[in-house]
Structure formats: C-alpha cells, structure tokens
Coordinates of all heavy atoms in Angstrom, one line a residue:
M1 N 48.7 -13.3 -69.1 CA 49.2 -12.0 -68.5 C 48.4 -10.9 -69.2 O 48.2 -10.8 -70.4 CB 50.7 -11.9 -68.7 CG 51.2 -10.6 -68.1 SD 53.0 -10.5 -68.3 CE 53.3 -9.0 -67.6
T2 N 47.9 -9.9 -68.4 CA 47.2 -8.8 -68.9 C 48.2 -7.7 -69.4 O 49.3 -7.6 -68.9 CB 46.3 -8.1 -67.9 OG1 47.1 -7.7 -66.8 CG2 45.3 -9.2 -67.4
S3 N 47.8 -6.8 -70.3 CA 48.6 -5.7 -70.7 C 48.8 -4.7 -69.6 O 47.8 -4.5 -68.9 CB 48.1 -5.1 -72.0 OG 47.1 -5.7 -72.6
P4 N 49.9 -4.0 -69.7 CA 50.0 -2.9 -68.7 C 49.1 -1.8 -68.9 O 48.6 -1.5 -70.0 CB 51.5 -2.4 -68.8 CG 51.9 -2.9 -70.2 CD 51.0 -4.1 -70.5
L5 N 48.7 -1.1 -67.8 CA 47.9 0.1 -67.9 C 48.7 1.2 -68.5 O 49.8 1.6 -68.0 CB 47.4 0.5 -66.5 CG 46.6 1.8 -66.4 CD1 45.3 1.6 -67.1 CD2 46.4 2.1 -64.9
R6 N 48.2 1.8 -69.6 CA 48.9 2.8 -70.3 C 48.5 4.2 -69.8 O 47.3 4.5 -69.9 CB 48.7 2.7 -71.8 CG 49.3 1.4 -72.4 CD 49.0 1.2 -73.8 NE 49.7 2.2 -74.6 CZ 49.4 2.6 -75.8 NH1 48.5 2.0 -76.5 NH2 50.1 3.5 -76.4
I7 N 49.4 5.0 -69.3 CA 49.1 6.3 -68.7 C 49.9 7.3 -69.5 O 51.1 7.2 -69.6 CB 49.4 6.3 -67.2 CG1 48.6 5.3 -66.5 CG2 49.2 7.7 -66.7 CD1 49.0 5.2 -65.0
A8 N 49.2 8.4 -69.9 CA 49.9 9.6 -70.4 C 49.8 10.7 -69.4 O 48.7 11.1 -69.0 CB 49.2 10.0 -71.7
L9 N 50.9 11.1 -68.9 CA 51.1 12.1 -67.9 C 51.4 13.4 -68.6 O 52.4 13.5 -69.2 CB 52.1 11.8 -66.9 CG 52.5 12.8 -65.8 CD1 51.2 13.1 -65.0 CD2 53.6 12.4 -65.0
I10 N 50.4 14.4 -68.6 CA 50.6 15.6 -69.3 C 51.0 16.7 -68.4 O 50.2 17.0 -67.4 CB 49.3 16.0 -70.1 CG1 48.9 14.8 -71.0 CG2 49.5 17.3 -70.8 CD1 47.6 15.0 -71.7
V11 N 52.1 17.3 -68.6 CA 52.6 18.5 -67.8 C 52.1 19.7 -68.6 O 52.7 20.0 -69.7 CB 54.1 18.5 -67.6 CG1 54.5 19.7 -66.8 CG2 54.6 17.2 -67.0
A12 N 51.0 20.3 -68.2 CA 50.3 21.3 -69.0 C 50.8 22.7 -68.8 O 50.7 23.6 -69.7 CB 48.8 21.2 -68.7
S13 N 51.4 23.0 -67.7 CA 51.9 24.4 -67.5 C 53.2 24.7 -68.3 O 54.1 23.8 -68.3 CB 52.2 24.6 -66.0 OG 52.7 25.9 -65.8
T14 N 53.2 25.8 -68.9 CA 54.4 26.2 -69.7 C 55.1 27.5 -69.1 O 56.0 28.0 -69.7 CB 54.1 26.4 -71.1 OG1 53.1 27.4 -71.2 CG2 53.6 25.1 -71.8
R15 N 54.6 28.0 -68.0 CA 55.1 29.3 -67.5 C 56.4 29.1 -66.8 O 56.7 28.0 -66.4 CB 54.0 29.9 -66.6 CG 53.8 29.1 -65.3 CD 52.7 29.8 -64.5 NE 52.3 28.9 -63.4 CZ 53.0 28.7 -62.3 NH1 54.2 29.3 -62.1 NH2 52.6 27.9 -61.4
N16 N 57.2 30.2 -66.6 CA 58.4 30.1 -65.9 C 58.1 29.8 -64.4 O 57.1 30.3 -63.9 CB 59.1 31.5 -66.0 CG 59.7 31.7 -67.3 OD1 60.0 30.8 -68.1 ND2 59.8 33.0 -67.7
G17 N 58.9 29.1 -63.8 CA 58.8 28.7 -62.4 C 57.7 27.7 -62.1 O 57.3 27.5 -61.0
R18 N 57.3 27.0 -63.1 CA 56.2 26.0 -62.9 C 56.7 24.8 -62.0 O 57.9 24.5 -61.9 CB 55.8 25.5 -64.3 CG 56.9 24.7 -65.0 CD 56.6 24.7 -66.5 NE 57.6 23.9 -67.2 CZ 57.4 22.8 -67.8 NH1 56.2 22.3 -68.0 NH2 58.4 22.1 -68.4
F19 N 55.8 24.2 -61.4 CA 56.1 23.1 -60.4 C 55.7 21.7 -61.0 O 56.2 20.7 -60.5 CB 55.3 23.3 -59.1 CG 55.7 22.3 -58.0 CD1 57.0 22.5 -57.4 CD2 54.9 21.4 -57.6 CE1 57.3 21.6 -56.4 CE2 55.2 20.5 -56.6 CZ 56.5 20.6 -56.0
G20 N 55.0 21.7 -62.2 CA 54.6 20.4 -62.8 C 55.7 19.4 -63.1 O 55.5 18.2 -62.8
P21 N 56.8 19.8 -63.6 CA 57.9 18.9 -63.9 C 58.4 18.1 -62.6 O 58.7 17.0 -62.7 CB 59.0 19.7 -64.5 CG 58.3 20.9 -65.1 CD 57.2 21.2 -64.2
T22 N 58.4 18.8 -61.5 CA 58.8 18.2 -60.2 C 57.8 17.0 -59.9 O 58.3 15.9 -59.5 CB 58.9 19.2 -59.1 OG1 59.7 20.2 -59.5 CG2 59.3 18.6 -57.8
V23 N 56.5 17.3 -60.0 CA 55.5 16.3 -59.7 C 55.6 15.2 -60.7 O 55.5 14.0 -60.4 CB 54.1 16.9 -59.6 CG1 53.1 15.9 -59.4 CG2 54.1 18.0 -58.6
A24 N 55.8 15.5 -62.0 CA 55.9 14.5 -63.1 C 57.1 13.6 -62.8 O 57.0 12.3 -63.0 CB 56.0 15.2 -64.4
R25 N 58.2 14.1 -62.4 CA 59.4 13.3 -62.2 C 59.1 12.3 -61.0 O 59.5 11.2 -61.0 CB 60.7 14.1 -61.9 CG 61.3 14.7 -63.1 CD 62.7 15.3 -62.9 NE 62.6 16.4 -61.9 CZ 62.3 17.7 -62.2 NH1 62.1 18.0 -63.5 NH2 62.3 18.6 -61.3
W26 N 58.5 12.9 -60.0 CA 58.2 12.0 -58.8 C 57.2 10.9 -59.2 O 57.5 9.7 -58.9 CB 57.5 12.8 -57.7 CG 56.9 12.0 -56.6 CD1 57.5 11.4 -55.6 CD2 55.5 11.5 -56.5 NE1 56.7 10.6 -54.8 CE2 55.4 10.7 -55.4 CE3 54.4 11.8 -57.3 CZ2 54.2 10.1 -55.0 CZ3 53.2 11.2 -56.9 CH2 53.1 10.4 -55.8
F27 N 56.2 11.2 -60.0 CA 55.3 10.2 -60.4 C 55.9 9.2 -61.3 O 55.7 8.0 -61.3 CB 54.1 10.8 -61.2 CG 53.0 9.8 -61.4 CD1 52.1 9.5 -60.5 CD2 52.9 9.2 -62.7 CE1 51.0 8.5 -60.7 CE2 51.9 8.3 -63.0 CZ 51.0 7.9 -62.0
E28 N 56.8 9.6 -62.2 CA 57.5 8.8 -63.1 C 58.4 7.8 -62.3 O 58.5 6.6 -62.7 CB 58.4 9.6 -64.1 CG 59.0 8.9 -65.2 CD 59.6 9.8 -66.2 OE1 59.9 11.0 -65.9 OE2 59.8 9.4 -67.4
T29 N 59.1 8.3 -61.3 CA 59.9 7.4 -60.4 C 59.0 6.3 -59.7 O 59.4 5.1 -59.7 CB 60.6 8.2 -59.3 OG1 61.4 9.2 -60.0 CG2 61.5 7.4 -58.5
V30 N 57.9 6.7 -59.2 CA 57.0 5.8 -58.6 C 56.5 4.7 -59.6 O 56.5 3.5 -59.4 CB 55.8 6.5 -57.9 CG1 54.8 5.5 -57.4 CG2 56.4 7.3 -56.7
A31 N 56.0 5.2 -60.8 CA 55.5 4.3 -61.8 C 56.5 3.4 -62.3 O 56.2 2.2 -62.7 CB 54.9 5.2 -62.9
A32 N 57.8 3.8 -62.3 CA 58.9 2.9 -62.8 C 59.1 1.6 -62.0 O 59.6 0.6 -62.5 CB 60.2 3.7 -62.9
T33 N 58.6 1.7 -60.8 CA 58.7 0.5 -59.9 C 57.7 -0.5 -60.1 O 57.7 -1.6 -59.6 CB 58.7 0.9 -58.4 OG1 57.4 1.5 -58.1 CG2 59.8 2.0 -58.1
R34 N 56.7 -0.2 -61.0 CA 55.6 -1.1 -61.2 C 55.7 -1.7 -62.6 O 56.0 -1.0 -63.6 CB 54.3 -0.2 -61.2 CG 54.1 0.6 -59.9 CD 53.0 0.3 -59.1 NE 51.9 -0.3 -59.6 CZ 50.6 -0.1 -59.3 NH1 50.4 1.0 -58.5 NH2 49.6 -0.8 -59.8
T35 N 55.4 -2.9 -62.7 CA 55.4 -3.6 -64.0 C 54.1 -3.6 -64.7 O 54.0 -4.0 -65.9 CB 55.8 -5.1 -63.8 OG1 54.9 -5.7 -62.9 CG2 57.2 -5.2 -63.2
D36 N 53.1 -3.1 -64.0 CA 51.7 -3.1 -64.6 C 51.4 -1.7 -65.2 O 50.2 -1.5 -65.5 CB 50.7 -3.6 -63.6 CG 50.7 -2.7 -62.3 OD1 51.7 -2.0 -62.1 OD2 49.6 -2.7 -61.6
I37 N 52.3 -0.8 -65.3 CA 52.1 0.5 -65.8 C 53.1 0.8 -66.9 O 54.3 0.6 -66.8 CB 52.2 1.6 -64.7 CG1 51.1 1.4 -63.6 CG2 52.2 3.0 -65.3 CD1 51.2 2.4 -62.5
E38 N 52.6 1.4 -68.0 CA 53.4 1.9 -69.1 C 53.1 3.4 -69.2 O 52.0 3.8 -69.5 CB 53.0 1.2 -70.4 CG 53.8 1.7 -71.6 CD 53.3 1.0 -72.9 OE1 53.1 -0.2 -72.8 OE2 53.1 1.8 -73.9
L39 N 54.1 4.2 -68.8 CA 54.0 5.6 -68.6 C 54.6 6.4 -69.8 O 55.7 6.1 -70.2 CB 54.6 6.1 -67.3 CG 54.4 7.6 -67.0 CD1 53.0 8.0 -66.7 CD2 55.3 7.9 -65.8
T40 N 53.9 7.4 -70.3 CA 54.4 8.3 -71.3 C 54.2 9.7 -70.7 O 53.1 10.1 -70.3 CB 53.6 8.2 -72.6 OG1 53.7 6.9 -73.1 CG2 54.2 9.2 -73.6
V41 N 55.3 10.5 -70.6 CA 55.2 11.9 -70.1 C 55.2 12.8 -71.3 O 56.1 12.8 -72.1 CB 56.4 12.2 -69.1 CG1 56.3 13.6 -68.7 CG2 56.4 11.2 -68.0
L42 N 54.2 13.7 -71.3 CA 54.1 14.7 -72.4 C 54.2 16.1 -71.7 O 53.3 16.4 -70.9 CB 52.8 14.6 -73.1 CG 52.5 13.2 -73.7 CD1 51.0 13.1 -74.2 CD2 53.4 13.0 -74.9
D43 N 55.3 16.8 -72.0 CA 55.5 18.1 -71.4 C 55.2 19.2 -72.5 O 55.9 19.3 -73.5 CB 56.9 18.3 -70.9 CG 57.1 19.5 -70.1 OD1 56.3 20.4 -70.2 OD2 58.1 19.5 -69.3
L44 N 54.2 20.0 -72.3 CA 53.8 21.0 -73.3 C 54.8 22.0 -73.5 O 54.9 22.7 -74.5 CB 52.4 21.6 -72.9 CG 51.2 20.7 -73.0 CD1 49.9 21.5 -72.7 CD2 51.1 19.9 -74.3
A45 N 55.7 22.2 -72.5 CA 56.8 23.1 -72.7 C 57.8 22.7 -73.8 O 58.5 23.5 -74.4 CB 57.6 23.3 -71.4
D46 N 57.8 21.4 -74.1 CA 58.7 20.9 -75.2 C 58.0 21.0 -76.6 O 58.7 20.8 -77.6 CB 59.0 19.4 -74.9 CG 59.8 19.2 -73.6 OD1 60.5 20.1 -73.2 OD2 59.7 18.1 -73.1
A47 N 56.7 21.3 -76.6 CA 56.0 21.5 -77.9 C 56.2 22.9 -78.4 O 56.5 23.9 -77.6 CB 54.5 21.2 -77.7
D48 N 56.1 23.1 -79.7 CA 56.2 24.4 -80.3 C 54.9 25.1 -80.3 O 54.3 25.3 -81.3 CB 56.8 24.2 -81.7 CG 57.1 25.6 -82.4 OD1 57.4 26.6 -81.7 OD2 57.0 25.7 -83.6
L49 N 54.5 25.5 -79.1 CA 53.2 26.2 -79.0 C 53.4 27.7 -78.8 O 54.4 28.1 -78.2 CB 52.5 25.7 -77.7 CG 52.1 24.2 -77.7 CD1 51.5 23.9 -76.3 CD2 51.1 23.9 -78.8
P50 N 52.5 28.5 -79.4 CA 52.7 30.0 -79.2 C 52.5 30.4 -77.8 O 51.7 29.8 -77.1 CB 51.6 30.5 -80.1 CG 50.6 29.5 -80.3 CD 51.4 28.2 -80.2
A51 N 53.2 31.4 -77.4 CA 53.1 31.9 -76.0 C 51.8 32.6 -75.8 O 51.2 32.7 -74.7 CB 54.3 32.7 -75.6
H52 N 51.3 33.3 -76.9 CA 50.1 34.1 -76.8 C 49.2 33.8 -78.0 O 49.7 33.5 -79.1 CB 50.4 35.6 -76.7 CG 51.3 35.9 -75.6 ND1 50.8 36.0 -74.3 CD2 52.6 36.2 -75.5 CE1 51.8 36.3 -73.5 NE2 52.9 36.4 -74.2
W53 N 47.9 34.0 -77.8 CA 46.9 33.8 -78.9 C 46.2 35.2 -79.1 O 46.0 35.9 -78.1 CB 45.9 32.8 -78.5 CG 46.4 31.4 -78.5 CD1 47.0 30.8 -77.5 CD2 46.5 30.4 -79.6 NE1 47.4 29.5 -77.8 CE2 47.1 29.3 -79.1 CE3 46.0 30.5 -80.9 CZ2 47.3 28.2 -80.0 CZ3 46.2 29.4 -81.7 CH2 46.9 28.3 -81.2
T54 N 45.9 35.4 -80.3 CA 45.1 36.6 -80.6 C 43.6 36.4 -80.2 O 43.2 35.3 -79.9 CB 45.3 37.1 -82.0 OG1 44.7 36.0 -82.9 CG2 46.7 37.3 -82.4
R55 N 42.8 37.4 -80.3 CA 41.4 37.3 -80.0 C 40.7 36.3 -80.8 O 39.8 35.6 -80.4 CB 40.8 38.7 -80.1 CG 39.5 38.8 -79.4 CD 39.8 39.6 -78.1 NE 38.5 40.0 -77.6 CZ 38.2 39.6 -76.3 NH1 39.0 39.0 -75.6 NH2 37.0 39.9 -75.9
D56 N 41.1 36.1 -82.1 CA 40.4 35.2 -82.9 C 41.1 33.8 -82.9 O 40.9 33.0 -83.8 CB 40.3 35.7 -84.4 CG 41.7 35.9 -85.0 OD1 42.7 35.8 -84.3 OD2 41.7 36.2 -86.2
L57 N 41.9 33.6 -82.0 CA 42.6 32.3 -81.7 C 43.6 32.0 -82.9 O 44.0 30.9 -83.0 CB 41.6 31.2 -81.6 CG 40.7 31.3 -80.4 CD1 39.8 30.0 -80.2 CD2 41.5 31.4 -79.1
A58 N 44.0 33.0 -83.6 CA 45.1 32.7 -84.6 C 46.4 32.6 -83.9 O 46.6 33.3 -82.9 CB 45.1 33.9 -85.6
P59 N 47.3 31.7 -84.3 CA 48.6 31.6 -83.6 C 49.4 32.9 -83.7 O 49.2 33.7 -84.6 CB 49.3 30.5 -84.4 CG 48.2 29.8 -85.1 CD 47.2 30.8 -85.4
A60 N 50.2 33.1 -82.7 CA 51.1 34.3 -82.7 C 52.0 34.3 -83.9 O 52.2 33.3 -84.5 CB 51.9 34.3 -81.4
P61 N 52.5 35.5 -84.3 CA 53.4 35.5 -85.5 C 54.6 34.6 -85.3 O 55.1 34.4 -84.3 CB 53.9 37.0 -85.5 CG 52.8 37.7 -84.8 CD 52.2 36.8 -83.8
G62 N 54.9 33.9 -86.4 CA 56.0 33.0 -86.4 C 55.6 31.5 -86.2 O 56.4 30.6 -86.2
H63 N 54.3 31.3 -85.9 CA 53.8 30.0 -85.8 C 52.8 29.6 -86.9 O 52.2 30.5 -87.4 CB 53.1 29.8 -84.4 CG 54.1 29.9 -83.3 ND1 54.8 28.9 -82.8 CD2 54.4 31.0 -82.5 CE1 55.5 29.3 -81.8 NE2 55.3 30.5 -81.6
S64 N 52.8 28.4 -87.2 CA 51.9 27.9 -88.3 C 50.5 28.0 -87.9 O 50.2 28.0 -86.7 CB 52.3 26.5 -88.8 OG 52.0 25.6 -87.7
S65 N 49.6 28.1 -88.9 CA 48.2 28.2 -88.6 C 47.5 27.2 -89.5 O 48.0 26.9 -90.6 CB 47.6 29.6 -88.8 OG 47.8 30.0 -90.1
S66 N 46.3 26.8 -89.2 CA 45.6 25.9 -90.0 C 45.0 26.7 -91.2 O 44.8 27.8 -91.1 CB 44.4 25.2 -89.2 OG 43.5 26.1 -88.8
S67 N 44.6 26.0 -92.3 CA 44.1 26.6 -93.5 C 42.7 27.1 -93.3 O 42.2 27.9 -94.0 CB 44.3 25.7 -94.7 OG 43.6 24.5 -94.4
S68 N 41.9 26.5 -92.3 CA 40.6 26.9 -92.2 C 40.4 27.8 -90.9 O 41.1 27.5 -89.9 CB 39.7 25.6 -92.0 OG 40.1 24.9 -90.8
P69 N 39.6 28.8 -91.0 CA 39.5 29.7 -89.9 C 38.8 29.0 -88.7 O 37.9 28.1 -88.9 CB 38.6 30.8 -90.4 CG 37.9 30.3 -91.6 CD 38.8 29.2 -92.2
Q70 N 39.1 29.4 -87.5 CA 38.6 28.8 -86.3 C 37.6 29.7 -85.7 O 37.8 30.9 -85.6 CB 39.7 28.5 -85.3 CG 40.7 27.5 -85.8 CD 40.1 26.1 -86.0 OE1 39.3 25.6 -85.2 NE2 40.5 25.5 -87.1
P71 N 36.4 29.2 -85.3 CA 35.4 30.1 -84.7 C 35.9 30.6 -83.3 O 36.7 29.9 -82.7 CB 34.2 29.2 -84.5 CG 34.7 27.9 -84.5 CD 36.0 27.9 -85.3
T72 N 35.4 31.8 -82.9 CA 35.8 32.3 -81.6 C 34.9 31.7 -80.6 O 33.6 31.8 -80.7 CB 35.6 33.8 -81.5 OG1 36.5 34.4 -82.6 CG2 36.0 34.4 -80.2
P73 N 35.4 30.9 -79.6 CA 34.5 30.4 -78.6 C 33.9 31.4 -77.7 O 34.4 32.6 -77.6 CB 35.5 29.5 -77.7 CG 36.8 30.0 -78.0 CD 36.8 30.6 -79.3
T74 N 32.8 31.1 -77.0 CA 32.1 32.1 -76.2 C 32.9 32.6 -75.1 O 32.7 33.7 -74.6 CB 30.8 31.5 -75.7 OG1 31.0 30.3 -75.0 CG2 29.8 31.3 -76.8
C75 N 33.9 31.8 -74.6 CA 34.7 32.2 -73.5 C 35.6 33.4 -73.9 O 36.0 34.1 -73.0 CB 35.6 31.0 -73.0 SG 36.9 30.6 -74.2
C76 N 35.9 33.6 -75.2 CA 36.8 34.6 -75.6 C 36.1 35.7 -76.4 O 36.7 36.6 -76.9 CB 37.9 34.1 -76.5 SG 38.8 32.7 -75.6
A77 N 34.7 35.6 -76.5 CA 34.0 36.6 -77.3 C 34.0 38.0 -76.5 O 34.1 38.0 -75.3 CB 32.6 36.1 -77.5
P78 N 33.9 39.1 -77.2 CA 33.8 40.4 -76.5 C 32.6 40.4 -75.6 O 31.6 39.8 -75.9 CB 33.7 41.4 -77.7 CG 33.9 40.6 -78.9 CD 33.8 39.2 -78.7
P79 N 32.7 41.2 -74.6 CA 31.6 41.2 -73.6 C 30.3 41.8 -74.3 O 30.5 42.7 -75.2 CB 32.1 42.1 -72.5 CG 33.3 42.8 -73.0 CD 33.8 42.0 -74.1
S80 N 29.2 41.4 -73.8 CA 27.9 42.0 -74.4 C 27.8 43.4 -74.0 O 28.1 43.8 -72.9 CB 26.8 41.1 -73.8 OG 25.6 41.7 -74.2
T81 N 27.1 44.2 -74.9 CA 26.9 45.6 -74.5 C 25.5 45.8 -74.0 O 25.2 46.9 -73.6 CB 27.1 46.5 -75.8 OG1 26.2 46.0 -76.8 CG2 28.5 46.4 -76.3
T82 N 24.7 44.8 -73.9 CA 23.4 44.9 -73.4 C 23.4 44.6 -71.8 O 24.2 43.8 -71.4 CB 22.4 43.9 -74.0 OG1 22.8 42.6 -73.8 CG2 22.2 44.2 -75.5
T83 N 22.5 45.3 -71.1 CA 22.4 45.1 -69.7 C 21.4 44.0 -69.4 O 20.3 44.1 -69.9 CB 22.0 46.4 -69.0 OG1 22.9 47.4 -69.4 CG2 22.0 46.2 -67.5
P84 N 21.7 43.0 -68.6 CA 20.7 42.0 -68.4 C 19.6 42.5 -67.5 O 19.8 43.4 -66.7 CB 21.5 40.9 -67.6 CG 22.7 41.5 -67.1 CD 23.0 42.7 -68.0
S85 N 18.4 42.0 -67.7 CA 17.2 42.5 -67.0 C 17.2 41.8 -65.6 O 17.7 40.7 -65.5 CB 15.9 42.2 -67.7 OG 15.8 40.8 -68.0
P86 N 16.8 42.5 -64.6 CA 16.7 41.9 -63.3 C 15.7 40.7 -63.2 O 14.7 40.7 -63.9 CB 16.3 43.0 -62.3 CG 15.6 44.0 -63.2 CD 16.2 43.8 -64.6
P87 N 16.0 39.8 -62.3 CA 15.0 38.7 -62.2 C 13.7 39.1 -61.6 O 13.6 40.1 -60.9 CB 15.7 37.7 -61.2 CG 16.7 38.5 -60.5 CD 17.1 39.7 -61.4
H88 N 12.6 38.4 -62.0 CA 11.2 38.8 -61.6 C 10.9 38.1 -60.3 O 11.1 37.1 -60.0 CB 10.2 38.5 -62.6 CG 10.4 39.3 -63.9 ND1 10.6 38.8 -65.1 CD2 10.6 40.7 -64.0 CE1 10.8 39.8 -66.0 NE2 10.8 40.9 -65.3

C-alpha cells in the first residue's frame, strides 16, 4: 500500500470578512472522504502575526523580532528619485 498524499491547505487571508475559511472547510469535507489524502489545514489568522509591518519589515510593536536585521526587499524600497530615460 502506498502512503497517502500529504496536503497542507494554507488559508492565507487574515482580513475581516475573508472567504478562505469557507473554501477550506469545503475542501476539508471533500478530502475527508478519501483514504489516499492526509490533509493539514493551516489558517494564518490563528498565528500570532502582526497586522502591519513597518517600512523596514520590523514587526509591529508588541510582537517579537529576530535578533538579526532584515534587508528591505526591492518591493518595499522607497521610490527612485531619478527619472528614467526614454527608449531610443
């Protein structure tokens, strides 16, 4: 007999009024009828995550932070002050 397929279903939205838990419950109900699936549901709303991040990605006040500083990714860097040159 082969081992069951292990699936981690991640409900990633943490905002009010989210629809993810409804879909997760439906999928969990369907998966429970199968013997070849082992499902784990991870809901990020249950995790102690900060609601907001600062510009340097430090956790919001009241949340723990790592001991090493984290670099600012380019997606969150301040906008460039130079004007791009037009294509030739």
Side-chain angles (χ1 to χ4, degrees):
M1 179 176 180
T2 61
S3 350
L5 177 63
R6 297 176 66 198
I7 299 174
L9 176 61
I10 301 171
V11 182
S13 176
T14 59
R15 64 182 172 76
N16 290 331
R18 63 199 184 121
F19 190 68
T22 303
V23 176
R25 281 190 301 275
W26 169 80
F27 188 83
E28 192 171 18
T29 302
V30 172
T33 65
R34 310 238 342 218
T35 58
D36 59 339
I37 294 177
E38 180 183 316
L39 182 67
T40 301
V41 178
L42 304 168
D43 190 340
L44 294 186
D46 296 335
D48 185 28
L49 297 174
H52 301 284
W53 290 88
T54 62
R55 198 102 170 123
D56 63 354
L57 298 182
H63 292 275
S64 63
S65 63
S66 66
S67 58
S68 61
Q70 299 295 318
T72 302
T74 56
C75 69
C76 303
S80 173
T81 57
T82 60
T83 306
S85 57
H88 295 126

